[in-house]
Structures are given as structure tokens and as C-alpha cells.
Amino acid sequence: MSGTTGSISLAGPDAEFKILCDDDGAGTVTAFVRRYTTSPAGTVTVTDTGLDGTTPYAVTGTVAVCTSPDAEPGELTAHGEQDTAWALADHAGTVSVTLVVYAGSVTATTAEGALSIPAGGTLTWSASANTGGVLAGALDLAGAAGASWHVIWTTRP
């Protein structure tokens, strides 16, 4: 927040995660998770795992941030609506959707069923390469009476 100050003190270690890609130079690029753990004393430990976050991973080539020609950030357009029912079926080419609930509750309905998200809740859905880089299937968002909420989504032009 602008104009605020403060600090946070952690008794235990802090961990940050990054998905990276390992290019073996022979045409195989493998995505993996790199975890940076900082101890309270400031010592940083790096651990590489598979995408499941537990299986150890050994780098075999050049490590870089993963890129996809179909997911260049400059090709996306951001949109937003507040306190208005939203349906994936009405927004072709949607790549990601984020729901933020400020007050009341919002029901998110997918093919798997309905989920009530209370005030303070945030959910994000994003596309995988398996669906061509856009979300597919059912996703409908509807607020309860008096709810205050926001939907932010990105689409491909």
C-alpha cells in the first residue's frame, strides 16, 4: 500500500519458488521448480525439484526462465468487472481469471461443481498448454446479494 511502513519478523525460514526451464542443448527443455530458502540468519539455500515440488531434480544444461511463443505477455489484454456475474463462455480466448471477494460471498461453478468463496478469498484459474493456451470448460461466477467482488481476466487478441 502506498504511504504505509512496517516490518515483518519471521522466526523460521522464508521460501520463494520459481518455475525454470533446463535446456540440455540437444532439443530437450524440462521445466522444474527452484526453491530459494532464506534462514533467519540470511543464509540462502537452493533446492531444485520436479514440478511436483518433492522429487529431486538435477539440472543437465542451461537454466533460464521458461518461455512460450504462445504466451508472450505483450499479446495479452487485461479486463475487469466489479460485482457483475461473469461466465467463461462469454469471453472467448481467456487465458487467466482471478476472483477477489471483498464482502459477502461469490459462487464459482465449474464442471466439477460449485464452491462458495467468502470475503477475503481469492482464486485464480489459468490455461495450460494442453488446451492451446486458453481456458476451456465451464466457469461461472455469481455473487450473493450484497456481495462486493472483482473479476480480472486476460485474453488473447
Side-chain angles (χ1 to χ4, degrees):
M1 263 190 251
S2 177
T4 62
T5 61
S7 65
I8 297 174
S9 176
L10 299 174
D14 176 43
E16 303 291 329
F17 299 87
K18 182 80 175 168
I19 297 177
L20 299 171
C21 283
D22 178 11
D23 185 343
D24 71 358
T28 301
V29 177
T30 305
F32 68 98
V33 175
R34 178 162 285 169
R35 180 178 64 231
Y36 300 91
T37 305
T38 306
S39 73
T43 305
V44 177
T45 305
V46 176
T47 307
D48 295 336
T49 67
L51 294 177
D52 64 5
T54 58
T55 305
Y57 180 80
V59 173
T60 60
T62 303
V63 174
V65 174
C66 300
T67 61
S68 170
D70 293 334
E72 291 297 321
E75 296 178 9
L76 300 178
T77 303
H79 311 272
E81 289 184 1
Q82 186 160 355
D83 304 336
T84 303
W86 190 93
L88 180 61
D90 298 333
H91 303 284
T94 297
V95 175
S96 67
V97 177
T98 298
L99 167 67
V100 181
V101 182
Y102 306 114
S105 66
V106 173
T107 300
T109 305
T110 67
E112 290 80 27
L115 176 66
S116 179
I117 299 91
T122 301
L123 290 178
T124 298
W125 297 264
S126 60
S128 75
N130 297 338
T131 60
V134 297
L135 288 170
L139 175 59
D140 296 299
L141 305 172
S148 178
W149 52 292
H150 206 116
V151 179
I152 303 106
W153 71 99
T154 56
T155 57
R156 294 203 187 285

